[in-house]
Amino acid sequence: MKTNYLLQATLLLLVASACLIAGIFSVYWPWPETSRELSHTPLPYPEIASGPLFAALFLLLAALLISYWYQKKIGQQYQKLLQQQQEYTEHLYRSEQKFRTLIETANDAIFIADAGNGQLLDANRKAEELLGRSAHELIGRSLTILHPPEEAEYYIHLFQEHVRTGGIDTIEAEVIHQNGQRIPVEIRAGLCDLGSIRLVHGNFRDVSQRKKNQETLQKALTQVAESQATLQAILDRTASVIFLKDSDGRYLLVNRAFELLLGKNSLEIIGCSDYELFPPALAALYHENDQRALQQNILEIEEFIPQPDGLHTFLVTKFPLLDLQGMPYAVAGVATDITERKQMESALRENERFSRSIINALPEPLCVLDQTGTILAVNQAWMQPPQLPFAQIPFGHLQEGSNYLKACCAEESPNSPSRQFAETISKIIRSELSQQSMEFHWPEQRHGRWFIGTITPFQSDGPLRLLVMRQETTRIKQAEMMQRHLTTVLDEQVAQRTRELQRSNQDLQQFAYIASHDLQEPLRQISGFVQLLKRRYHGQLDEKADQFIDFTAEGCQRMQELINSLLGYSRVGTHPIHIQPLVADQLVQRAMENLHLTIQESSAQITCGTLPTLWGDQQQLVQLLQNLLSNAIKFRLPGQIPHIDIAAKPYQNSWIITIKDDGIGIDPTHQERIFEIFQRLNSRVSYSGTGIGLSICKRIVERHNGWMMVESVPGEGSAFSFFLPAPQQTNEEAEKFSSSL
């Protein structure tokens, strides 16, 4: 087409050039004068026949030809260009419509931004829905409007890095809705170079639901894992052996008991078959039972498993697991070691045989009855020929299967021993009586013979049974009569001896009181003269004489203390006591007042809990508490402040009072010895005293019909406890105090 245009243009130029040359030639050509003469017809306008005019006409003609050609060709070209432009415009419109339809119908939010400044140029409908803003609000704004303000700097850097590298990245981010809600999205960005402009397009996919689904899935997986862990923990804490195998016999799950049974961990067991874990013969038996379980519903069998001490018997319950189509795909099993039960059953059978032999060896006749009175079993002694009338002594004579009650009631006399015995059996069967015994006497020889018939009901996982047994008690009766006679004689002797001991104790107490009282006068004289001798001659004699005088004075003082202690010990036993209700808090307070100086000097700390009302003699109970507190303060570790705690707890409708210290403690081998009179465990140099204080305490408690004890650990302290019984009227008060503790 282009070649044809060039050819036509060339021809037209040649014609125009010829016309131009002809015009020029006509102007400058020397026409002969005879030329006009040759013309016989005159011209209307003779002036145009001149040469220049003719040339101009030729030029005009050439110009018109050229103009016409150009107008025609240019018009054709313009029409073609217009048509091409229209087609291009329509194509562009259709492409834009396809592009707009594509991005508007996309499931993702699509943003287009200028790669140079990050300015948003376009956004689709999903983008408007994602951000809650119209495209008009977004176009022309920076891409930072898409993200939370505090993360704008990060996303600008990410955008610039993406533009610089030109890569396509997929990232997870957050966009912010107009209402402030943060929405997780997945962004896939791409770079488009259009020559004059570079664009970045990004697909924003809302992954909120996916995140929720992932969280839900993660929670579900966590719950499944927890459930599996819980199930495994439950299985591991189950004493029974539990396992799960697939249809090929390979283990899928085992519990801790199974691991202990084989001495392997679960990792070594799972995936293995019985042939890899047990002897071939046993493995084949297990596999056969598994196949039976897969074909049946539940299979309960006994299987043997080797253990270090031999084969153990297990009661195994196997059952199939079914899939959704109801087809078995695995077999589960629960096994319980019944080796001991088997051994016990064997032992029970042996014991039954042994017991039967023992029962048969018993000389006393016995039989076992059911609830109807029918004899179920008898021993050999029962089957011996009777030597006594059944009406009087209803034992023996009857065999198994006979009705014992009917035989006893066959006697005509309603008061016969056999009928009375039958009535007693009937009452026991009706649960009106429990075990009963009846005595039977048969007058024979000098004193006659005695028998006891015992009816013992028993029930062991079955109906009621009665054991009827006869025992001859003639010798026992004779022994009882002899014992009663001897007891009467012995009681008289004991009463007489008791009276003598009481008189002796009274005499000893009186003697101790008088002796200690009468010894004080000569002791005071000796002590007085020794003190006088010490004041007048101390330092005037030699050193040994002074030492002898000091020893004598110290001995007199110790003797005085021992006499006073002995006198106090005697008074505890001779002083009449007046039992009355006493508030224990007030007794402790009086004892602490008596020890005021000792408590102050030692800085002792005494704590006292809630104490009840005690019954006893006020003076002696104060002395009891005072002695125990004094010992707790005295026997402390060097340089230590004593801590003493007084507490009470209910016991047998009364109270146990405990005084606990943190002192030196008492060796367990000497804890009984400390309550004996004048017994000391420590030297007088370390701890003062006569060793009679705890003896007095024990005597006071025993006079109140109570008891006293000590618990101690050497180096950690001691706890002295005493119990004083209370009269019956204090029960209500004891319960009230007990509920308040």
Side-chain angles (χ1 to χ4, degrees), residues 349-361:
R349 288 192 295 269
E350 183 64 28
N351 288 337
E352 185 178 356
R353 289 193 294 269
F354 181 69
S355 300
R356 186 74 179 182
S357 63
I358 292 177
I359 291 174
N360 288 328

Side-chain angles (χ1 to χ4, degrees), residues 178-198:
Q178 188 178 13
N179 60 11
Q181 179 186 359
R182 292 172 179 258
I183 303 173
V185 295
E186 182 182 84
I187 303 175
R188 182 176 180 84
L191 185 63
C192 182
D193 193 348
L194 301 181
S196 61
I197 186 171
R198 300 176 71 196

Side-chain angles (χ1 to χ4, degrees), residues 159-281:
F159 178 81
Q160 293 173 350
E161 184 67 19
H162 171 71
V163 172
R164 185 181 65 83
T165 59
I168 298 177
D169 299 326
T170 301
I171 62 171
E172 289 188 358
E174 283 187 346
V175 296
I176 187 163
H177 194 271
Q178 188 178 13
N179 60 11
Q181 179 186 359
R182 292 172 179 258
I183 303 173
V185 295
E186 182 182 84
I187 303 175
R188 182 176 180 84
L191 185 63
C192 182
D193 193 348
L194 301 181
S196 61
I197 186 171
R198 300 176 71 196
L199 301 178
V200 175
H201 60 87
N203 288 27
F204 287 56
R205 177 168 295 177
D206 187 350
V207 294
S208 303
Q209 189 61 40
R210 189 176 74 186
K211 288 285 187 180
K212 292 179 181 178
N213 294 340
Q214 288 177 348
E215 292 177 0
T216 304
L217 178 61
Q218 186 61 37
K219 289 181 181 178
L221 292 176
T222 303
Q223 291 177 354
V224 170
E226 291 176 353
S227 300
Q228 290 179 343
T230 303
L231 176 61
Q232 188 66 45
I234 294 173
L235 295 179
D236 287 342
R237 285 166 175 77
T238 303
S240 299
V241 175
I242 300 176
F243 58 87
L244 181 66
K245 302 179 188 178
D246 61 17
S247 57
D248 294 330
R250 297 194 175 275
Y251 286 93
L252 302 175
L253 181 144
V254 296
N255 69 340
R256 180 61 178 164
F258 198 102
E259 295 178 353
L260 296 176
L261 183 68
L262 297 189
K264 300 176 181 291
N265 59 44
S266 59
L267 298 179
E268 298 176 283
I269 299 174
I270 293 176
C272 296
S273 66
D274 291 324
Y275 290 94
E276 300 173 67
L277 301 173
F278 301 101

